[in-house]
Amino acid sequence: MDAGDRPARLTVGVLGSGKVGSALGAALAQAGHRVVAASGVSDNSQRWAADRLGVTPSRPDEVVAAAQLILLTVPDDALPDLVNGLATTGADLNGKLLVHTSGAYGLSVLDPAAKAGALPLALHPVMTFTGRDDDLNKLTGISYGVTAPDVLRPIAEALVIEMGGEPVWIADADRALYHAALAGAANHMVTLIAESSDLLERIGVEHPGRMLGPLLGAALDNVLRLGIAGLTGPVVRGDAGTVRKHVDALILAAPEAADAYIALARLTADRALAAGLLKPEEAERLLDALGGNIWT
């Protein structure tokens, strides 16, 4: 395979035909590639291999033997063992594209396979996957965190564009921080909103989502357009008394949520102070209300 050329139509194998693997495999099929084999452990993975990818579930070694491009779409913690297993069991990896979709890992996790002749790529789709039928539609227009050897960059870029995405190049050494930023924003947001919804339900709000939706939509729009300058609320206003009331109420109602509130309020105050949105004397009052130092 000439790594400088746009990839020809490839046979594709999926190791881990779960939520991510079945969606990406289907996207590659829509782009004209041909999914020829897939493996999955769970009942859902095996069902999606049949329903979404149109193949009968196979053993991992059969997937590797059948495909020119192999998607490794397993949980992050399972990825090193999978790669080592492929390399040590003598799977024919020579000249084959080996693509993992982990955000936290870069190319080094693929080193054992690369030494056996595999062509390593890291293509992480910046999207959440739920296993619902609309997962494939979510791929259009999203970013992919891409790490690739220089010689394979054209192939990585072409594959992402073919799946309807935008490649964003991430240095190998930056993968963990890149993924921490994404997970911190998306995953913790879900936890915070679920916690807020529970608290509202506890005081009798019947439809917390209806109440929170417009507020959260505006807040998200503000921060994406304006950054920290889009911050609103009692911390940036320096309303230490209000913040203390929040903490006291949460300590009584949900102590575990109070700890999270205090930590995030300190971070918010720290950023607001650094951006010049909060005066030092206001920060001192907030410090007292939060019961600790906001500076590191």
Side-chain angles (χ1 to χ4, degrees), residues 14 68-69 94 104 108 111 113 117 136 158 193 199 204-205 219 222 237 243 249 261:
V14 181
Q68 298 166 307
L69 184 158
N94 190 48
S108 59
D111 280 349
L136 179 58
I193 295 172
L199 292 171
V205 177
N222 286 343
R237 292 195 300 265
V243 169
Y261 180 96

Side-chain angles (χ1 to χ4, degrees), residues 35-51:
V35 178
V36 293
S39 69
V41 175
S42 70
D43 291 341
N44 279 335
S45 294
Q46 295 184 23
R47 176 169 56 83
W48 288 328
D51 295 347

Side-chain angles (χ1 to χ4, degrees), residues 155-230:
I155 291 179
E157 183 175 28
L159 289 170
V160 168
I161 291 172
E162 285 183 334
M163 290 187 287
E166 176 185 357
V168 178
W169 303 102
I170 307 296
D172 197 83
D174 294 334
R175 293 288 293 199
L177 186 59
Y178 151 81
H179 195 238
L182 297 178
N187 302 160
H188 297 165
M189 179 183 69
V190 171
T191 302
L192 287 170
I193 295 172
E195 183 70 22
S196 294
S197 297
D198 289 347
L199 292 171
L200 290 171
E201 286 181 339
R202 191 179 304 184
I203 62 171
V205 177
E206 292 186 2
H207 302 290
R210 190 180 301 169
M211 177 179 285
L212 289 168
L215 172 66
L216 297 175
L220 180 61
D221 179 67
N222 286 343
V223 70
L224 292 178
R225 288 190 300 108
L226 305 172
I228 195 64

